[in-house]
Each structure stands twice: as structure tokens, then as C-alpha cells.
Amino acid sequence: MKISIIRTEKGVTKHLSTRDLDTFIERIKRDNRNGDVARLRSELEFLGNEEREYQHLLSMPQVFPAVLMTRGADGMLVMKELNGVVLLSVGNLKGDDELRLTKQAAQLLPMTLAAFVGSSGRSVKVLVSVVPENGLLPNDEDEATLFYQRAYELASLVYERVLPFTLTRIDKENLSPMKVVFRMTQDETPYLNPKATPLRVPERVLMERITTRMVPAPMLVGKENDKMKVGKETRDLIDFFTKNYRFRFNSVMGYTEYSLNRSLSVGWLPVDERVQNSLSMAARMAGLDVWDKDVNRYLKSSIIREYNPIHEYLWRLKDTWDGKDHIGRLAATVPTDNPHWAQWFRTWLLGMVAQWLGKSRQYGNSVAPLLISRQGYNKSTFCKSLIPNELQWGYNDNLQIGDKKSVLQAMGQFLLINLDEFNAISPKLQEGFLKNVIQLASVKVKRPYGKHVEEFPRLASFIATANMTDILADPSGNRRFIGIELTGPINVSRRINHNQLYAQILNALDNGEPYWFDQQQTELIMESNRQFQKVPPVVQFFHECFDIPQNVEEGEFMTSAAIFAEVRKMAGNDLHLSSLVAFGRLLTNMPDLQRRRAKQGTVYLVRKRRK
């Protein structure tokens, strides 16, 4: 399949060329021949309006995707061949996520030939394969124009049901294969399907204008009357739902939501089994001959637009930061003597939002603030206030950390998990399961009623509160938590400007600010956390029996078994230890305790205390 490309200068055609579609798609992956595409997008970002004058715009090649052109006897461009491609466009998109979602939605339909970002960087162009019912494309220009207009209307109705954003409609006077055009563009990840199944345009559609009620009839094997009957029932059902309800698929929660078209007071609600039965009853009471399975298929189909509540909230905050330090103000409401708190809190906040946006597919937000104080210091209130009202469904402070399946599911659906009363979590869970899950980038769980385990991107970050200081149980070093002891109650009286807070976070992420802790920061965190380390009784008895010398001449090297035997003499039989390996691990992680390898294993430099 070939398309036409022309270059103009001062409105005069200078050069006409044709390209195979796959060659063209390969070209736009890296096309920046004269830097025109990059300059256009840069200037549009500055001017904020694609219609304003752009000095290089007229020199950018024009692409005619619907027709193969040639020059006539008078030198004018004429149609040589219609190639069966309809151009659809979705404009006014904001950010890479909207562009990506639009391209992904277009890929769901088998008639999509290609989908790529337009020259402005704010639109997506979709090339749709079309063909008349008899399979023969017209060669006459007038017939080709009529066919193109009908094919365009039909394709628009089909794609409007699937695309998450509104199509940009072309005026009828420009709805001709010789006038449908877009400027040369650049997209590093365009979609191409050379084996696209053409959208067949019925003969009757060419004879009459399509109405907004028309949707493509399903491809069924059977009598023509049966096909038309089923097609009419499906169209009537979709029309009934479109007239009375709004639907969207919540991609975070994994279910369809609905809202009444004429209701201003009722928001979006999940379509559970009860609601689905009510929808089926409403359709039948309206005289529609449909079954529960028809309603179920519609509600679970790609016709329902996909909706991501996190992205929708963040997108509207893009580039709206007022320049004030809202992150710093929020950190200052937490009274503490830790000089690193403000910076650590900032990095963690950036990591939380980066987790929501899926910026890091390799590592999760693997550090969690741990607020430590006595009761009544507003720790839990502060944690909940970090999430804006629009996203409060994503806050969880009653998770049963011992239920591993529930924890994994929550990490894929919630935004912030508060491990309230962290001191109640057993050391075994701290050192094992919790230490592992807090660093996961994705989670593998089986959905309710699912038949197999699936992998989902992780959304949730963690925060924790505690009422005592000796709570960190991992003897190998507590790098997963930022222990912060409060010197007074957190000031929760000041209202948080969430929109500006998250606008500042997005701005920092866009500017490449790190949202992870480097090695130096991690070492500082571990050093700070030593004051919150749980000291097991065996370690306390160790310090009663031994000193830790700095020089070899001042002590002797002993095995962990020999050291434990000495400790046991003081503690008696009440001191239990399930494994010498565990005791050796405690010794290994003691600060300043020197060790080396010997024939009998690892030995440690100690000095016995005099009795």
C-alpha cells in the first residue's frame, strides 16, 4: 500500500513522491531531517496554539494517506488510485500518557493500519483500512469521494466507542481523499499492522447517509435476516445505554463504573452484580429483546472507554505549579531533631508519585517513613492527609500485614498504605515478608474468581507509625524505613494545598530530580536508624560479657559458638537461641566488631570483661 507525500514552497508544489506505508512508518521513527518537527513542537509548547504562525510549517512535507497521486497533462496533481485508508485524528491531548493511551486504544480494533503521534506532539493520527462490501475500490474521483465520506463516517462511529478521547471531525467540504492530509511527524514508537482486517462499508451505506445510531453489525454465520436482527438488537441496546447512562472502565480498580446521564448528585459507582441485573431489567422494561449475557458482554468490552483516576487527577495539574515550596512547608509541620527529614521526605514523596506513574519498572518505592512518638501526636491524621480528597479511595490504614495475598492485592490497587502501630508487627514479618514486598516493582496475584496468577504494576507506597522507639528488628541494617522521632505533635491545622503540592512534585519529576535514595543517603538512613534498633536479650548479655576492642593486641578471636557459650554461662538456661547461625548474624552486624575467616569458620575479635 502506497501513500503520497508532497513538498511545497510558498504554496507551490515542488516535489511529489510515493512511499510504502511500512517505509513511511519506519521513517517517522527518526525523521527530523531539517529539525522541523522538533522546532514545531518546541514553538507550539511556547506559543500554546497550533494555529499560530510557524515559520518552518510550510516547508514540512504534507502526507496524503488516502490516495496515490500523479501529475496530469497540465502538471496539476490528480488521483491515480484510491488506497482504502481513512484518516482519523484525536487532538488536544495532554502529555505522553494520553498519547500512549490513545494509541493503545486504537490497536484494539483489527482495522487499524497505523497509529502515531501527530506533528504537533498533541494529537494521534489513526489510519483505518476500509473497503466497499464488494471489495473493489472506486477509481472515479467523484465515486471515490462519496465512498470516502461514508467510510469516514462509519469509521468515526466505530472508533468513538473505543477511543478514550474525542475525535477531531473533518468538515464535509474537506472530506475528500485528495484533501485529507497531515504534516510530516515524528514518533519513536508508532503502531503498524500491515495485516489489518479492512472495515467493510455496506452497499446500503453508500446509498444513504449514516445516522449516529449506526454501529457495525457483528460478523455472524447464518441467514441475512438473523444477522440484521442481532445487529439491530445490539445497536438498540448500545443506544439505550448511551442515552441513559455513562460508563467507564476503571483500570486501577479493574471494574466498570457507571453514572446516570441526567443525575448531577450521583457520582460514579461500581457496576457490581446487583447493578448489572438492574441494567438488564431496565433494558427489558424499555422493550429491548436482550439477555443478561448481552449486557455483560457490552459492560466488559473495549467499547467502554478506559479511565485511570490517578492519571486524570495528575494530568490537570501538569505545568500549574506556582513556584512555592509546598513540599518543604508540609515537611516543616513534622517537628523532629533529624536534620535530614525535609530532604528524605521530599525524595520519598517524589518516589510515591513516580510509583503511581509507573516511572520505575525495575524497582519499587522501597523506603517508608516511620513516624515515632507517643499517642496523640497526630501521626495517623498526617499520613491520611497526604492523599488528596479525589484519591482518598487509595488510602489504606487497616491492612492485615499477616495476610500475604491481601497485601499483594492492596499494593496493586491502593496508593498509600499506612502500617499503623508498626510496633505490633512481629520481627519475623519485618525481616521476611515485609522487607521483601516493600521493594517489589510489580505484584503477582490471582484475581477473585480468577483461574491463574497475573502480574500487575505496583501502585502503593508505604508509611508507618509507632509508639515506641525500639522497633526495628532486622539485624542486617534497616534500610527500608526512615525512622523519625517526633519532638512534638504534628501541626495538622494548616490545610494542605494538594493541587499545588502535587504540581510541584510533577515539576520536580519532569526536571529529572531523583526519586530514589542513593548509596550515601541509604548509609545515612541506616546510621540514623540504629537508635531505633531492637536489641535482643542475647546481645545485651553479650555486652555484659565482652567488650569490643579496636586493636588485635587488646583482645582475642573467638568463634560464635565459643562466644555464645560464655554468654550462656551468665544468662543461664533461660537464654534460648534456635540457631548459632542466627547468633552469628547478630555478631556480623554489630558495629565495630572485627571478624576474619579461620579454619574453624568466622571468628570475632572480643575482650572478656573482668568479673
Side-chain angles (χ1 to χ4, degrees), residues 233-378:
E233 292 168 355
T234 303
R235 292 193 296 271
D236 289 344
L237 177 64
I238 293 176
D239 287 340
F240 172 76
F241 281 151
T242 303
K243 180 180 179 181
N244 296 284
Y245 307 95
R246 290 175 293 163
F247 296 100
R248 66 188 187 189
F249 178 74
N250 190 320
S251 60
V252 175
M253 304 306 293
Y255 53 63
T256 299
E257 300 173 333
Y258 82 103
S259 179
L260 300 175
N261 265 347
R262 292 185 294 273
S263 175
L264 299 178
S265 58
V266 179
W268 293 90
L269 300 171
V271 177
D272 55 21
E273 185 177 2
R274 184 180 178 87
V275 171
Q276 187 168 318
N277 289 337
S278 299
L279 293 171
S280 298
M281 291 295 296
R284 292 193 68 82
M285 290 176 68
L288 302 183
D289 186 15
V290 295
W291 298 87
D292 293 348
K293 62 182 180 181
D294 299 317
V295 175
N296 182 61
R297 285 170 181 162
Y298 172 75
L299 295 174
K300 294 182 179 180
S301 71
S302 59
I303 293 177
I304 305 297
R305 73 177 181 92
E306 191 170 302
Y307 158 79
N308 186 312
I310 307 167
H311 292 174
E312 182 163 302
Y313 174 74
L314 295 177
W315 282 336
R316 60 186 175 87
L317 303 180
K318 195 84 167 173
D319 302 323
T320 62
W321 180 40
D322 60 10
K324 298 178 182 178
D325 186 11
H326 298 273
I327 300 175
R329 289 180 182 177
L330 181 57
T333 64
V334 180
T336 179
D337 291 333
N338 190 315
H340 306 292
W341 160 246
Q343 182 57 52
W344 288 350
F345 178 66
R346 180 186 179 96
T347 302
W348 174 79
L349 268 183
L350 265 62
M352 180 176 71
V353 176
Q355 187 79 64
W356 299 353
L357 296 174
K359 283 186 171 293
S360 177
R361 298 296 184 186
Q362 189 174 2
Y363 302 103
N365 189 13
S366 57
V367 178
L370 173 56
L371 306 179
I372 304 168
S373 77
R374 65 189 185 188
Q375 294 281 7
Y377 273 37
N378 303 322

Side-chain angles (χ1 to χ4, degrees), residues 69-70 128 168 245 292 328 352 356 401 440 452 482 487 511 564:
M69 295 184 184
T70 188
V128 184
T168 303
Y245 307 95
D292 293 348
M352 180 176 71
W356 299 353
I401 196 67
L440 294 178
H452 59 277
I482 304 173
T487 58
N511 288 329
F564 183 69

Side-chain angles (χ1 to χ4, degrees), residues 330 333-334 345 371 378-386 490:
L330 181 57
T333 64
V334 180
F345 178 66
L371 306 179
N378 303 322
K379 299 185 296 295
S380 298
T381 302
F382 173 78
C383 294
K384 187 174 183 179
S385 71
L386 296 177
I490 300 174

Side-chain angles (χ1 to χ4, degrees), residues 135 220 269 519 578 605:
L220 299 175
L269 300 171
Q519 184 62 34
S578 60
L605 180 63

